[in-house]
Amino acid sequence: MIAVQEEVVAKPVVRKSKLWMPKRVLITPAALQEPWGQQMYERVKSLGLPVEELKQNRLTDLRGEDERETYRKAKSTLAIVTTPASAFKLQPIPPSADYQFHLAEGCPAHCQYCYLAGSLQGPPVIRTYANLPAILENLKNYQKPGQVTTFEASCYTDPLGIEHLTGSLSETIRFFGEQENMHLRWVSKFDQVDHLLGLAHNGNTHPRLSLNTNFVASLMEGGTASVDARIEALRKLAMPKAMGGGGYKVGVVLAPIMPLPDWEEQYTHLLDRIEQALNFPCEVTFELITHRFTPGSKALLQEWYPNTSVDFDETNRTFKFNKFGGKKFVYPAVTMGMLRSFFQSELKRRFPEAPILYWT
């Protein structure tokens, strides 16, 4: 168990996330032929970042001498590429949305429990896709007749964390704003939302902020905005346009929920702050995700973060299998029941009209 320092809980810090600036930017020939790729190329150059124009579409020279060096090298690299043809065959992603699609793969944050670890092949380079118009147009093929179809854009990236380099999130919000019965969902640990407030989303985009206790965020979520800064961003997005906000239906993703010492006090403090921030009529949803890991992700994360604060002790867990037979470690049923009861009770009391979309 991790000993919680009282000053971490008592003194939240509004830490604006710094814009991630990659040390290395690569662009493939195929990406450079795409108008959106050219837009990203010019955007990156305008920020003073050198761009290496590759002679082939394959990314090379991404690995270091060990996993730790590979991680550092990859996490400081942005690659502007085109999405593979296989990505145009969308996969369901319950319970988050009907389908997932990708504006990018890889994330600039440094979360010690990262769920992408082991999910993506190769070094964790941030790849952003230059053929955005084709990606968006393909979504229409998956629209369900006569009903709202939801599309999740944050499965393999944090689109807000790289928006200043790509512009892809804004363009995607505009695209969905022009569609009928097609809704966009995305989630972020970053806070630069001002440029999203004036977009014509027409109620078709559901942004969510990933929130946790100050203790978890400060020790385990490197490179992200502070919890208070994220809550401020949530407030801006939810506030009616007439009041200077974005007028979005918003969501809170509480993840990963961890039963650390004093967890009830810490999460109560977090919910207090969310309630205080959303002190006006607005639509809000909640998604509750407890911490879990696989044997593969544990091994990789411990290589990336040898001094991690995350509790990976398997003796404190039980395990279950996913539909593909993969093993993952989760909290025991008694712990899960205790956590679930607390959050359901607290959220119902504070936000009686807000649905909990799922608990896992």
Side-chain angles (χ1 to χ4, degrees), residues 22 49 60 70-71 76 82 109 151 167 252 261-262 265 290 313 317 359:
L49 300 174
T60 59
T70 296
Y71 172 84
S76 61
T82 53
F151 297 86
V252 172
D262 300 324
E265 178 185 347
T290 56
D313 186 353
R317 306 288 182 125
W359 161 273

Side-chain angles (χ1 to χ4, degrees), residues 4 8-9 12 210-221 226-228 230 254-258 260-271 273 343:
V4 178
V8 176
V9 177
S210 178
L211 300 176
N212 217 311
T213 67
N214 289 326
F215 180 74
V216 171
S218 62
L219 286 187
M220 305 179 197
E221 297 179 348
S226 69
V227 176
D228 278 9
R230 293 181 223 171
L254 294 174
I257 295 170
M258 297 179 174
L260 301 173
D262 300 324
W263 64 269
E264 287 181 281
E265 178 185 347
Q266 292 187 68
Y267 282 113
T268 295
H269 180 55
L270 172 62
L271 296 177
R273 290 145 70 196
F343 282 103

